[in-house]
Amino acid sequence: MFKRKRVGKADVIVTVIILIALYAIGIYNAVASNLTTDLATMKPDEYQTGKYVEADVAVNLGSYCQEESYRFHFIKTGTADYYVVSTKKDAKDCISLKTNKNTEEWEKMAQETETYMQNGGKEPAVRHIKGQLRKCDTDEAKYLREFMQGTEALGITYSEYYIQETDGIDAYAILIAALGITLVMGLRFFLLSRQNKDWKPEEEE
C-alpha cells in the first residue's frame, strides 16, 4: 500500500480566513487606539462603547471597586481598580477609570483630591490617561451608585461609563499573534509541500 501526505484545500482556506480576520481586527484596533478624542470635549450623552479617548484627570474621588481576574477559577492573573475621576476641578461629569497600573499614584491622587475639596489649597497633580470607553455592567453600575450616594447635593455629576486604560499594546498584540500564526502555518505548509515534492512511493510489506 502506498502512503503520502497532502495539505487539504479546506485547511488552507480556513487558515487564510482566520489570518485575515486577525489582521483586520489588529489593524483596526491599532489605528483606532491612536485616533483618540479628548474626553473634555465630549458630553456624557455622546459617550459610546468602544470609542478611544484621552483625558487630563483633574480630580480623583477614590476607588469604589476592585476586580480580580482568574484563569481556571483559581489562577490569579491580575487586579484592576475602579476610580471615579473628572477632567474638571469641580468634579462635574465624572466618569470611572478602570486601571491595573500605578495604583499607589492613583491612591495618592485620591487623598490629594479629598484634601483639596474639603480644605482648598494645593490642587492635585493632573494625570493624563488614554483608553477605551465602556458601559458599566449591572454590578459595576450598582457599586458606582452606592459610592456616589449623596454627591448630587454637592453638585457632582457622573455617568455610568468607564475608561478602560490602555497603552495600545493590546491592539498590537493581535497583530503580533497573527504574524506568529502566519510564520508557523507558512512553515508547516512549506515543509508539507516539500515532503509532497520529494515523495517517492513506498510499499508496505
Side-chain angles (χ1 to χ4, degrees), residues 112-125:
E112 292 175 347
T113 298
E114 183 178 3
T115 300
Y116 167 70
M117 296 188 76
Q118 289 181 353
N119 306 318
K122 185 179 179 181
E123 299 175 356

Side-chain angles (χ1 to χ4, degrees), residues 42-66:
M42 300 176 64
K43 297 178 180 179
D45 59 5
E46 296 176 331
Y47 295 166
Q48 295 179 351
T49 296
K51 189 174 187 63
Y52 284 90
V53 297
E54 54 185 315
D56 290 322
V57 176
V59 294
N60 174 7
L61 303 186
S63 175
Y64 65 90
C65 179
Q66 186 175 81

Side-chain angles (χ1 to χ4, degrees), residues 1-3 202-205:
M1 179 183 292
F2 298 110
K3 295 191 301 183
E202 288 185 11
E203 186 173 357
E204 290 186 343
E205 297 182 359

Side-chain angles (χ1 to χ4, degrees), residues 24-197:
I25 294 171
I27 291 173
Y28 171 80
N29 285 336
V31 172
S33 65
N34 286 291
L35 297 175
T36 58
T37 301
D38 185 353
L39 187 72
T41 65
M42 300 176 64
K43 297 178 180 179
D45 59 5
E46 296 176 331
Y47 295 166
Q48 295 179 351
T49 296
K51 189 174 187 63
Y52 284 90
V53 297
E54 54 185 315
D56 290 322
V57 176
V59 294
N60 174 7
L61 303 186
S63 175
Y64 65 90
C65 179
Q66 186 175 81
E67 179 182 84
E68 295 181 344
S69 300
Y70 289 86
R71 183 171 297 169
F72 306 118
H73 300 285
F74 61 89
I75 301 177
K76 187 176 179 179
T77 57
T79 301
D81 292 285
Y82 291 76
Y83 295 93
V84 178
V85 301
S86 177
T87 59
K88 302 174 182 178
K89 297 175 185 177
D90 59 1
K92 299 285 188 182
D93 298 335
C94 287
I95 190 170
S96 297
L97 167 68
K98 181 180 179 182
T99 182
N100 58 2
K101 306 171 185 177
N102 306 316
T103 302
E104 292 183 0
E105 294 182 18
W106 284 112
E107 290 294 334
K108 180 181 177 182
M109 186 180 187
Q111 294 175 1
E112 292 175 347
T113 298
E114 183 178 3
T115 300
Y116 167 70
M117 296 188 76
Q118 289 181 353
N119 306 318
K122 185 179 179 181
E123 299 175 356
V126 174
R127 293 181 58 84
H128 187 77
I129 59 172
K130 183 178 179 180
Q132 190 176 33
L133 286 176
R134 296 182 182 177
K135 181 73 173 175
C136 291
D137 63 25
T138 303
D139 288 335
E140 291 165 342
K142 175 185 176 183
Y143 302 145
L144 175 60
R145 292 186 201 117
E146 291 178 355
F147 181 79
M148 297 298 287
Q149 279 184 356
T151 58
E152 292 182 359
L154 301 175
I156 296 174
T157 58
Y158 67 95
S159 70
E160 294 183 358
Y161 275 83
Y162 67 89
I163 300 173
Q164 173 70 64
E165 188 176 23
T166 178
D167 50 16
I169 292 178
D170 293 342
Y172 291 104
I174 297 176
L175 289 176
I176 294 172
L179 179 60
I181 294 174
T182 301
L183 294 175
V184 171
M185 297 306 297
L187 179 61
R188 174 176 177 269
F189 291 143
F190 172 76
L191 294 176
L192 287 176
S193 63
R194 285 293 300 273
Q195 188 177 35
N196 288 338
K197 182 179 179 181

